[in-house]
Amino acid sequence: MSGSREEGRAQTSADDFTRASAAIEALIAAVHPDQWDAETPCAEWNLRQLVDHLVEVNYSLAERFGGPGGDTCDDPAAAYRRSAQALSDALARPGVLDQTYPGPFAHTTGERQLQVRMADLVTHGWDLAQATGIPADLPLDLVQNALGFVEKLAAAFARSGKFGTPQPVAADAPILDRLAALSGRPVG
């Protein structure tokens, strides 16, 4: 019985990643060619570098989970799509979310590492929307999940240097803005 429960959880997590990735891919595909050098809320990255980061993290996690590594591509949308597929394929491996892996913050389960990935991915969806002016049509339940996850770990993330210090935001701000602010983005 527990095997089917684990399989169900893994399928839900994989489906959530697929839904988030589809929304991110749509944002990337809508970028105009003259926008790739645009600044983003991530001060160290322009728009192309931000997408490159998303691709690199997908491939890194896919490899950690026993899947394929990445390849290069001049088309950011195609590169993102291939990296998301590589991670999706890795998530389909039996037991991948239950195993413990080294990661950027600590040795944690695949499930925990995917939660970090989802929070990062959804937050960068906000960054993409801010940089391009394209509305972020991210699944609300995934934004809520990411916000709940980041709320629990915001101080630890900020101390790690991988996330910024939480910023002030109105309590009634849209949920994606609240996630962005909690992840260190100034929301105005």
Side-chain angles (χ1 to χ4, degrees), residues 14 18 20 59 61 66 83 99 125 128 149 152 155 184:
T18 299
Y59 279 129
L61 198 54
S83 73
Q99 295 178 34
L128 288 165
F149 181 72
K152 292 177 193 169

Side-chain angles (χ1 to χ4, degrees), residues 7-57:
E7 289 170 11
R9 178 177 49 83
Q11 186 59 46
T12 299
S13 296
D15 289 345
D16 287 349
F17 175 74
T18 299
R19 290 188 305 129
S21 289
I24 297 299
E25 185 180 331
L27 278 167
I28 294 168
V31 173
H32 293 94
D34 63 343
Q35 291 181 303
W36 289 113
D37 291 328
E39 292 181 10
T40 70
C42 297
E44 67 273 14
W45 294 325
N46 66 26
L47 193 56
R48 178 58 191 253
Q49 292 165 326
L50 175 62
V51 172
D52 289 346
H53 163 73
L54 296 176
V55 168
E56 290 168 10
V57 173

Side-chain angles (χ1 to χ4, degrees), residues 5-166:
R5 203 175 353 193
E6 289 171 10
E7 289 170 11
R9 178 177 49 83
Q11 186 59 46
T12 299
S13 296
D15 289 345
D16 287 349
F17 175 74
T18 299
R19 290 188 305 129
S21 289
I24 297 299
E25 185 180 331
L27 278 167
I28 294 168
V31 173
H32 293 94
D34 63 343
Q35 291 181 303
W36 289 113
D37 291 328
E39 292 181 10
T40 70
C42 297
E44 67 273 14
W45 294 325
N46 66 26
L47 193 56
R48 178 58 191 253
Q49 292 165 326
L50 175 62
V51 172
D52 289 346
H53 163 73
L54 296 176
V55 168
E56 290 168 10
V57 173
N58 280 346
Y59 279 129
S60 174
L61 198 54
E63 283 184 284
R64 195 172 305 146
F65 290 167
D71 59 356
T72 59
C73 178
D74 289 334
D75 177 354
Y80 181 79
R81 184 174 39 259
R82 287 197 293 236
S83 73
Q85 186 61 55
L87 182 49
S88 290
D89 291 348
L91 290 171
R93 297 169 61 92
V96 73
L97 296 179
D98 297 316
Q99 295 178 34
T100 298
Y101 305 89
F105 299 105
H107 283 62
T108 57
T109 64
E111 178 72 30
R112 178 54 62 107
Q113 291 194 24
L114 184 58
Q115 287 177 316
V116 172
R117 176 71 194 123
M118 292 292 289
D120 182 64
L121 187 61
V122 171
T123 302
H124 285 314
W126 183 88
D127 296 331
L128 288 165
Q130 296 301 305
T132 62
I134 301 165
D137 187 20
L138 298 166
L140 182 60
D141 64 315
L142 301 182
V143 177
Q144 289 170 328
N145 291 346
L147 179 62
F149 181 72
V150 173
E151 282 175 336
K152 292 177 193 169
L153 300 171
F157 285 156
R159 281 192 308 272
S160 76
K162 298 198 183 275
F163 286 65
T165 302

